[in-house]
Amino acid sequence: MTRLEEVVRDLERHAAAAGWDAPPRLYALVEAPELNRTEPELARQLGVPDEPDGIAALEQPDLPLDRPIEDVLHGIEWPGQVTGCALILERILLPEGAEDDAPDEDPAGWAARHPEREDVRLVVGVLRDGSRYSAMRLRGHDNDDEVLTGAELVPHLTDALASTLG
């Protein structure tokens, strides 16, 4: 398992323990040895071990909820000491073709009430070296053994997140 896979899986388990209906959360991914060297007290408080290949996930302030997440990400630029970033958010999946029936007014509300919708939690992580990894948990199959994972589960969102790294 790569170090990015490990971080994404850890964040997914953390989000699962916190439950559903949570706002999006953004994390800066930093090298654990660097954090231990430059911010030893913070590393100690967060319980970040000083492992040579370790990555620490540092939760960022709340994201604005009044704009699409892709627009929010477009306005973010990470400093060079950030190795990567990760995003946790919940989405609604509809069956293929269902969006063709969406009304012009309140399409989000319509989707939330759709009888065949599926709520999903996505955890997407990217590193400056180009590594990508995602995890997806379906609310209707809320079981650790049924979490889907892979590098290209949500390519559009992964691309948007990667663009924050410059």
Side-chain angles (χ1 to χ4, degrees):
M1 179 180 316
T2 69
R3 62 195 201 135
L4 180 58
E5 290 174 27
E6 189 174 327
V7 167
V8 167
R9 288 173 184 251
D10 284 348
L11 288 172
E12 197 288 321
R13 285 188 292 271
H14 177 73
W20 288 90
D21 303 318
R25 289 171 289 195
L26 183 64
Y27 295 82
L29 303 180
V30 299
E31 299 291 340
E34 180 70 11
L35 183 65
N36 275 281
R37 187 179 62 75
T38 60
E39 299 284 343
E41 182 60 26
L42 177 62
R44 188 190 62 71
Q45 287 175 352
L46 297 174
V48 175
D50 193 0
E51 296 173 351
D53 289 331
I55 299 177
L58 306 178
E59 188 168 359
Q60 302 302 294
D62 292 344
L63 295 171
L65 301 175
D66 60 343
R67 298 184 328 208
I69 193 69
E70 291 81 2
D71 292 350
V72 173
L73 292 175
H74 184 70
I76 295 174
E77 238 180 83
W78 296 102
Q81 63 267 35
V82 172
T83 299
C85 52
L87 176 68
I88 301 173
L89 78 156
E90 295 176 13
R91 289 283 200 231
I92 295 172
L93 292 181
L94 295 174
E96 190 171 331
E99 292 174 359
D100 298 340
D101 300 329
D104 291 337
E105 292 184 27
D106 193 25
W110 173 84
R113 294 184 301 275
H114 195 283
E116 295 179 64
R117 80 164 200 264
E118 181 70 57
D119 296 338
V120 299
R121 181 183 305 111
L122 302 168
V123 182
V124 179
V126 296
L127 297 180
R128 287 192 188 274
D129 69 7
S131 301
R132 298 166 174 228
Y133 197 73
S134 303
M136 179 187 308
R137 181 183 292 253
L138 285 72
R139 192 174 207 157
H141 300 273
D142 195 355
N143 184 320
D144 289 347
D145 295 339
E146 296 186 54
V147 174
L148 305 170
T149 59
E152 294 297 327
L153 287 179
V154 281
H156 180 72
L157 185 58
T158 307
D159 289 344
L161 190 60
S163 73
T164 66
L165 296 171

